[in-house]
């Protein structure tokens, strides 16, 4: 009713064609402190519609058989709970301008501008954030943004895939923090990677099965459907990989290029790579390839400095034979290694 600030106000216009069928509609609505819990059971269920909260909004919408739904406006959502079988999210506040188009579950787009997000623990803003799906064009999901916390696109992609009944690939990290800029991510209709590009700062990646937990990493990412390239760097990168190294390692990585190929099996080529800390300094190249058992490793490394007695944590024990590990633990006691290559480091250290 008019004058009730807990209810929406506005108007609508319907268009009827010569065949007396509805040919279009347009509407406008304004809400002031609308209680979303009162809408439960009155509107169609939607995984993106909060179960509770208070909504202030100015919204314009239209519909036609050819163009589907088109809704745009500005919204301010407070104290909201978004809960489905896929997630349970509390929103302290969400303020944004937005535009939404939909022709159904297989063709829609959602664009945000000047987005403010606050969940009570973390607050961030994004100048732009866009999500789109068009399976007829081969796009299961496209996600692009100017600047975001790294965990946001990961959670969005994971949630949308779950809504469409697709589990998160175990080869990808389940959790991430940091910042990503100039992000462009495209998955095809089968949810396989088409493209991923962006700049990542102070990333922390975890919860991804057999791969290491990484922290303090900066990267330039350019990935395609079968291969890609990462340029890595970081002043204090922590590598926690229990299945490879017996304790976490902290390393400075001035520069490192990783070329990955997963078209047939997988392989990773590491080149132009320098790593250093108080215990060692090295540079060189490494190639890892998938194998029937343990991965094959081709190592070409020059160690320019190393404290032999403190190199124990750096041996990749999961790929070394037991005799080699025993020799390394017992045979290297306490000298200083200087300017040794991967092939003759052991002989100079004894």
């Amino acid at each position: 009713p008019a004058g009730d600030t807990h209810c929406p106000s506005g108007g609508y216009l319907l268009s009827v064609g010569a065949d007396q069928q509805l040919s279009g509609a347009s509407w406008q609505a304004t809400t002031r402190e609308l209680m979303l819990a009162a809408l439960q059971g009155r509107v169609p269920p939607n995984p993106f519609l909060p179960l509770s909260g208070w909504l202030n909004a100015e919204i314009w919408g239209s519909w036609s058989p050819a163009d589907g739904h088109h809704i745009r406006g500005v919204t301010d959502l407070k104290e909201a709970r978004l809960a489905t079988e896929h997630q349970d999210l509390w929103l302290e506040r969400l303020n944004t301008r937005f535009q939404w188009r939909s022709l159904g579950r297989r063709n829609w787009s959602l664009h945000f501008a000047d987005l403010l997000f606050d969940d009570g623990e973390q607050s961030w803003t994004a100048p732009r954030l866009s999500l789109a799906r068009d399976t007829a064009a081969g796009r299961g999901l496209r996600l692009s943004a100017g600047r975001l916390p790294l965990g946001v696109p990961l959670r969005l992609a994971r949630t949308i895939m779950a809504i469409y009944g697709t589990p998160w690939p175990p080869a990808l990290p389940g959790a991430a923090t940091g910042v990503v800029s100039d992000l462009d991510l495209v998955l095809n209709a089968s949810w396989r990677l088409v493209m991923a590009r962006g700049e990542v700062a102070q990333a922390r990646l975890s919860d991804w099965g057999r791969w290491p937990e990484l922290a303090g990493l900066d990267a330039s990412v350019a990935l395609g459907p079968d291969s890609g390239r990462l340029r890595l760097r970081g002043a204090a990168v922590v590598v926690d990989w229990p299945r490879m190294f017996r304790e976490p390692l902290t390393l400075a990585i001035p520069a490192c290029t990783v070329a990955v190929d997963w078209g047939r099996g997988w392989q990773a080529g590491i080149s132009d790579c320098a790593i250093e800390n108080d215990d060692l300094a090295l540079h060189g190249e490494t190639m890892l390839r998938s194998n029937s058992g343990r991965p094959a490793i081709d190592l070409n490394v020059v160690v320019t400095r190393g404290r032999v007695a403190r190199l124990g944590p750096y041996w990749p024990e999961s790929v070394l034979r037991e005799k080699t590990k025993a020799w390394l633990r017992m045979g290297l006691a306490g000298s200083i290694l200087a300017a040794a290559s991967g092939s003759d480091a052991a002989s100079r250290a004894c």
Side-chain angles (χ1 to χ4, degrees):
D4 186 345
T5 59
H6 292 276
C7 293
S9 63
Y12 61 89
L13 176 66
L14 302 179
S15 301
V16 179
D19 57 358
Q20 300 301 303
Q21 298 294 316
L22 185 64
S23 61
S26 60
W27 52 271
Q28 180 272 331
T30 301
T31 72
R32 295 291 182 266
E33 297 297 322
L34 175 65
M35 185 171 65
L36 294 178
L39 299 180
Q40 296 304 309
R42 300 184 181 183
V43 297
N46 187 303
F48 297 106
L49 181 64
L51 297 178
S52 63
W54 302 92
L55 178 65
N56 294 283
E58 188 82 21
I59 303 172
W60 293 264
S62 63
W63 172 86
S64 69
D67 297 329
H69 295 277
H70 180 202
I71 301 175
R72 60 187 174 86
V74 58
T75 182
D76 187 61
L77 178 63
K78 296 182 293 184
E79 299 176 6
R81 179 170 174 253
L82 185 66
T84 68
E85 60 180 305
H86 313 294
Q87 65 175 349
D88 192 343
L89 177 65
W90 170 260
L91 298 175
E92 189 73 22
R93 188 178 183 194
L94 178 68
N95 183 287
T96 187
R97 293 184 292 121
F98 73 95
Q99 185 171 186
W100 178 61
R101 291 180 181 271
S102 175
L103 285 167
R105 284 173 56 86
R106 296 179 177 273
N107 189 339
W108 53 263
S109 63
L110 179 59
H111 305 283
F112 298 100
D114 302 323
L115 173 64
L116 166 66
F117 177 95
D118 186 347
D119 64 2
E121 296 182 359
Q122 183 184 34
S123 178
W124 51 268
T125 60
R128 62 176 181 87
L129 170 62
S130 296
L131 302 163
R133 175 173 169 84
D134 185 355
T135 57
R139 290 192 299 272
L141 176 66
R142 181 166 192 168
L143 194 160
S144 61
R147 180 180 174 87
L148 279 178
L150 183 58
V152 171
L154 185 147
R155 289 195 299 270
L156 282 172
R158 189 171 188 170
T159 298
I160 292 172
M161 288 173 64
I163 289 172
Y164 286 91
T166 302
W168 188 248
L172 296 179
T177 61
V179 177
V180 59
S181 305
D182 300 322
L183 171 67
D184 201 358
L185 170 68
V186 181
L187 306 177
N188 67 15
S190 300
W191 304 104
R192 295 186 178 278
L193 181 68
V194 175
M195 179 182 67
R197 298 181 185 277
E199 298 290 326
V200 178
Q202 286 300 299
R204 182 184 184 93
L205 308 175
S206 60
D207 188 20
W208 57 340
R210 60 184 297 178
W211 302 109
E213 180 174 315
L214 303 173
L217 190 66
D218 299 339
S220 299
V221 180
L223 302 177
D226 298 311
S227 61
R229 186 176 297 270
L230 301 95
R231 299 186 184 277
L232 310 177
R233 56 202 176 275
V237 178
V238 179
V239 181
D240 189 357
W241 200 358
R243 71 186 305 271
M244 183 69 72
F245 304 110
R246 68 189 192 204
E247 61 185 64
L249 309 177
T250 300
L251 309 163
I253 305 178
C256 196
T257 299
V258 181
V260 292
D261 187 335
W262 52 84
R264 293 183 178 180
W266 64 267
Q267 70 176 29
I270 303 171
S271 60
D272 303 322
C273 195
I275 295 175
E276 59 188 43
N277 62 12
D278 291 341
D279 297 332
L280 82 167
L282 57 87
H283 65 270
E285 301 177 349
T286 302
M287 178 66 73
L288 294 88
R289 297 183 180 88
S290 59
N291 207 345
S292 56
R294 295 175 177 175
I297 300 178
D298 184 3
L299 186 66
N300 183 10
V301 174
V302 175
V303 180
T304 56
R305 173 178 52 81
R307 297 179 179 275
V308 173
R310 295 165 60 177
L311 294 184
Y314 300 89
W315 308 126
E317 297 198 355
S318 69
V319 298
L320 296 176
R321 298 179 183 275
E322 289 299 325
K323 290 184 178 180
T324 304
K325 289 189 285 187
W327 182 87
L328 289 171
R329 290 169 182 166
M330 299 294 294
L332 301 182
S335 59
I336 296 178
L337 189 66
S341 69
S343 59
D344 64 6
S347 63
R348 296 191 184 191
C350 294

